[in-house]
Amino acid sequence: MEKLFEKVFGNEHLTRIESQQIAEKIFEGQMTDSQIAAFLTALKCKGETAEEIAGIAETIQRKAVMIDCQKENVMDNCGTGGDQSGSFNISTTAAFVLSAGGVTVAKHGNRSISSKSGSADIFECLGVNIALSPEKISTILNEVGLAFLFAPHMHPKMKYVMKVRKELGTPTILNLIGPLTNPVLLESQLMGTYRRDLLEETAKTLGELGRKRAVVVNGAGGLDEATLAGTTHFALLEQGQISMHTIEPEEVGFARLPLAAIRGGDAKQNTEILLSILKNQASPYLDTVLLNAGLGFFSNGKVSTVQEGIVLARECVASGGAFDKLQQLIQIQKEVA
């Protein structure tokens, strides 16, 4: 371990196997908080590579609690967080739209780490029990087509890094890895990242982890979501090939909006924003979710273009289907509980 640490401290990249070796020690509780913090900080200063990301992600996923899902082409739309934008919970809201459109969504997420409100905080505010057993989560996912997977419960070994992550208060390689470690065997994925420089490499990693189709997106302003503030960049993984693309708001029927227009607040405020969107109240928040849900439908292969995905997303919200999906989720939780 000392040689591997010296390698990182010396600004050298680790191989995938070396990353796995360190991750094995971390997630078996064989490193101190100080060692973990030093390792994460050194990687951040050096710049994380795809090999390092893949090695740690594979180790975490191997130790995860598995969720049995009988549905086909399950997807997640979890982002890395860490963009420091203060935006509302875009991907959490979009998950209800995607599910209403017939996509099975295993929404992987956590409490806030470096933001005011994480996806887990929102689901709790909505009345969703995030502490259900794997068996009950499986039932919900199979019957509703949408379930929330609370990362600390899915990844019990993550307990060894939670204190350090909270104290560091800044995005690390674990933010980049979180969306890669969904315990459900996903076929497709929409993944937001605050690291535009890793779009292509992250898409390659998703392919290596078994995704048949995926989009990795970085919005204007460095957000880990598509935005209407300017150019959104994304990498598309399709049939093992990676292609790079951009979206301008005007190209898909939206006006440009400043990032300040989608600023959120704490969990209560962001939950109110989510409900206003699912009730089809016109706003920059709604438009932003329609764009991201449209990308989600495209990522899943439900539609052949992003524009078609936006049209479908708009129908899902306007028809009340997205709001109904929330009600279904709350109701079935009462039944299984």
Side-chain angles (χ1 to χ4, degrees), residues 287-309:
D287 288 347
T288 301
V289 166
L290 294 179
L291 173 59
N292 282 274
L295 264 167
F297 285 127
F298 176 68
S299 306
N300 180 259
K302 186 81 174 177
V303 297
S304 57
T305 68
V306 176
Q307 183 66 66
E308 291 176 6

Side-chain angles (χ1 to χ4, degrees), residues 306-322:
V306 176
Q307 183 66 66
E308 291 176 6
I310 293 170
V311 171
L312 177 55
R314 199 179 295 278
E315 292 173 356
C316 291
V317 176
S319 68

Side-chain angles (χ1 to χ4, degrees), residues 203-221:
K204 288 179 182 178
T205 303
L206 284 169
E208 293 171 2
L209 293 173
R211 312 299 191 264
K212 295 179 181 178
R213 184 179 172 90
V215 166
V216 185
V217 63
N218 176 267

Side-chain angles (χ1 to χ4, degrees), residues 27-320:
F27 297 109
E28 287 302 325
Q30 297 172 9
M31 281 192 186
T32 66
D33 288 349
S34 297
Q35 289 174 318
I36 295 170
F39 174 65
L40 295 177
T41 303
L43 279 182
K44 182 180 176 70
C45 294
K46 173 183 73 65
E48 305 90 339
T49 67
E51 285 288 294
E52 292 163 346
I53 293 169
I56 298 175
E58 288 169 342
T59 303
I60 295 172
Q61 195 161 38
R62 190 172 65 249
K63 297 175 181 296
V65 172
M66 298 307 291
I67 301 296
D68 178 35
C69 182
Q70 305 302 318
K71 299 280 190 175
E72 295 183 356
N73 196 8
V74 184
M75 77 172 290
D76 188 8
N77 69 331
C78 177
T80 60
D83 58 26
Q84 309 296 328
S85 68
S87 63
F88 74 105
N89 296 77
I90 298 169
S91 63
T92 302
T93 312
F96 291 98
V97 182
L98 292 168
S99 183
V103 175
T104 301
V105 183
K107 186 71 178 78
H108 193 216
N110 207 338
R111 296 193 185 280
S112 61
I113 299 295
S114 57
S115 63
K116 291 183 179 180
S117 174
S119 55
D121 304 304
I122 299 301
F123 274 99
E124 278 193 325
C125 279
L126 290 169
V128 174
N129 185 350
I130 66 172
L132 294 174
S133 68
E135 294 76 19
K136 290 178 179 178
I137 292 172
S138 296
T139 297
I140 292 170
L141 186 58
N142 288 312
E143 292 193 21
V144 179
L146 170 66
F148 179 67
L149 284 60
F150 184 38
H153 291 176
M154 299 298 102
H155 304 285
K157 300 290 187 176
M158 288 292 287
K159 66 184 179 182
Y160 295 114
V161 298
M162 290 309 296
K163 182 184 176 189
V164 171
R165 290 188 73 187
K166 196 72 175 179
E167 289 180 348
L168 285 176
T170 185
T172 67
I173 195 170
L174 296 178
N175 290 76
L176 303 174
I177 286 168
L180 303 174
T181 58
N182 194 306
V184 175
L185 298 178
L186 306 177
E187 291 188 29
S188 58
Q189 187 161 355
L190 171 62
M191 176 178 165
T193 178
Y194 67 95
R195 289 284 299 273
R196 184 171 298 173
D197 60 313
L198 287 178
L199 283 175
E200 186 172 1
E201 290 301 310
T202 303
K204 288 179 182 178
T205 303
L206 284 169
E208 293 171 2
L209 293 173
R211 312 299 191 264
K212 295 179 181 178
R213 184 179 172 90
V215 166
V216 185
V217 63
N218 176 267
L223 266 69
D224 68 331
E225 312 277 1
T227 71
L228 299 174
T231 306
T232 289
H233 297 256
F234 71 89
L236 170 65
L237 166 69
E238 185 177 29
Q239 297 180 343
Q241 301 298 312
I242 308 292
S243 56
M244 304 302 294
H245 305 267
T246 60
I247 300 175
E248 301 294 340
E250 298 84 359
E251 294 174 349
V252 288
F254 294 108
R256 292 192 178 226
L257 296 167
L259 292 178
I262 58 168
R263 191 153 292 143
D266 59 18
K268 182 179 178 181
Q269 291 171 302
N270 285 359
T271 300
E272 291 171 353
I273 292 170
L274 179 150
L275 291 172
S276 76
I277 294 166
L278 298 188
K279 292 176 181 178
N280 199 30
Q281 296 177 14
S283 68
Y285 301 118
L286 172 60
D287 288 347
T288 301
V289 166
L290 294 179
L291 173 59
N292 282 274
L295 264 167
F297 285 127
F298 176 68
S299 306
N300 180 259
K302 186 81 174 177
V303 297
S304 57
T305 68
V306 176
Q307 183 66 66
E308 291 176 6
I310 293 170
V311 171
L312 177 55
R314 199 179 295 278
E315 292 173 356
C316 291
V317 176
S319 68

